[in-house]
Amino acid sequence: MQSSTSRYLAITVRYGLLVILAAAVIYPIVWVFLGSLKSQESFYTNPWGLPDQFHWEVYKIIFVDFHLQINVWNSLYISVISTLIIIMLSTMAAYGLIRLKWKGSKMVLGVILLGIMIPVHSTLIPIYLDLQAFNNYVDTRILLMLPYIAFGIPTSILILSGYYATISKDMEEAAVIDGSSIIGCFFKIIFPISMPAIATVAILSFIHSWNELLYALIFLRKTETQTLPVALLQFMGFYSTDWAQVLAAITVAMLPGVVIYMFLQNYIVQGITAGAVKG
């Protein structure tokens, strides 16, 4: 009887803590969304309460008057292309470093993983000065993708190498006996069964590219090429700010991240923790 009571108490405490944690995470998101539907007067008089009236027209304003759809498209374009390139390069690099045994592979892996230790924005000025040599690509989305890809690859290789190390070599050996090449083993065996780790890499790379501000602020000065985080700055006035418009734009900016984590969180946990089970 005492054991049953203790177990029930433990479960109650556990779920109670989870509910509190969930509320702490969800409340800011809900507050931002509800704040975007308030009038300016309602926001200042009752910032923490529900809107007296739902002003949905604010979303029409930010897309029609501020042309936010251009910035959304720029962020989507840069994030998707950067993510695809990171996946392509990091999966093949991790396969060559982990699954193929060759002299110096561990040293090369260690050098690549040193990139994780470099603070991303500490390299902003030298990278910007170096890339100025490409005059035809200055202030373009292609130029911004280069640092995103460069800094995304080490972390991606770390995640993928941990996952690749847990995969048995029996399937590869059987495929080689049947006449399959190294490239065939990679695309037919390793790549399909590595989807949890690849999904993790894709999610983390996309979110980083989508949310990054400082590189985008320095590299992109034209309105038609700016990403969504940079565009959010235009809603902040020097003397006054329409907080409904600011919060509406923030809601649009955080929507992809919320949706991705909501539906693909299991892949993130699976991919990151896969390497930890290796003895």
Side-chain angles (χ1 to χ4, degrees):
M1 183 67 180
Q2 186 177 1
S3 176
S4 177
T5 304
S6 300
R7 188 181 309 146
Y8 177 78
L9 182 60
I11 293 174
T12 303
V13 172
R14 182 188 307 167
Y15 280 99
L17 292 175
L18 290 175
V19 169
I20 294 173
L21 181 61
V25 173
I26 294 173
Y27 177 75
I29 299 174
V30 175
W31 183 86
V32 169
F33 174 67
L34 293 178
S36 69
L37 301 176
K38 293 181 179 181
S39 64
Q40 189 79 333
E41 180 183 357
S42 176
F43 181 83
Y44 282 110
T45 56
N46 187 22
W48 307 109
L50 294 174
D52 299 328
Q53 185 179 355
F54 291 93
H55 295 271
W56 295 99
E57 66 273 8
V58 68
Y59 287 92
K60 180 180 179 181
I61 292 173
I62 64 174
F63 281 105
V64 175
D65 295 348
F66 290 92
H67 305 289
L68 200 66
Q69 67 275 8
I70 297 175
N71 308 113
V72 172
W73 165 248
N74 288 334
S75 286
L76 190 63
Y77 179 88
I78 291 171
S79 300
V80 170
I81 299 299
S82 300
T83 299
L84 291 176
I85 295 176
I86 289 173
I87 291 174
M88 179 182 67
L89 296 178
S90 59
T91 51
M92 291 188 290
Y95 179 74
L97 292 168
I98 300 300
R99 306 299 292 183
L100 306 179
K101 298 299 182 182
W102 48 279
K103 188 176 181 180
S105 60
K106 291 184 177 180
M107 183 181 69
V108 173
L109 178 62
V111 171
I112 293 175
L113 295 183
L114 283 176
I116 300 175
M117 302 174 62
I118 301 174
V120 176
H121 295 109
S122 66
T123 62
L124 176 59
I125 294 177
I127 288 178
Y128 180 78
L129 294 176
D130 289 340
L131 293 179
Q132 287 295 302
F134 301 93
N135 293 324
N136 295 332
Y137 296 97
V138 172
D139 205 13
T140 61
R141 295 174 298 188
I142 295 176
L143 195 68
L144 184 61
M145 292 181 195
L146 296 179
Y148 287 177
I149 294 169
F151 284 102
I153 286 177
T155 303
S156 302
I157 290 178
L158 175 64
I159 295 171
L160 290 165
S161 61
Y163 193 90
Y164 286 169
T166 65
I167 300 175
S168 173
K169 292 186 177 181
D170 293 342
M171 292 182 290
E172 286 176 279
E173 293 173 354
V176 171
I177 293 174
D178 290 339
S180 179
S181 63
I182 294 176
I183 297 177
C185 289
F186 173 72
F187 284 105
K188 294 178 182 178
I189 299 174
I190 300 299
F191 194 88
I193 64 179
S194 302
M195 279 303 164
I198 293 173
T200 303
V201 168
I203 293 166
L204 296 179
S205 301
F206 180 89
I207 295 299
H208 173 264
S209 300
W210 180 270
N211 290 332
E212 203 281 327
L213 172 62
L214 194 54
Y215 268 93
L217 183 63
I218 300 299
F219 279 64
L220 304 175
R221 288 165 289 183
K222 297 179 183 177
T223 304
E224 60 269 19
T225 60
Q226 288 178 345
T227 58
L228 188 54
V230 179
L232 293 179
L233 300 177
Q234 69 181 314
F235 294 96
M236 304 293 291
F238 188 79
Y239 294 104
S240 64
T241 300
D242 190 325
W243 287 105
Q245 294 178 4
V246 172
L247 295 177
I250 292 174
T251 300
V252 174
M254 68 181 181
L255 188 60
V258 172
V259 172
I260 287 173
Y261 276 112
M262 186 181 298
F263 291 99
L264 300 177
Q265 58 179 324
N266 290 335
Y267 284 105
I268 299 176
V269 176
Q270 232 180 329
I272 292 178
T273 60
V277 299
K278 183 139 180 96

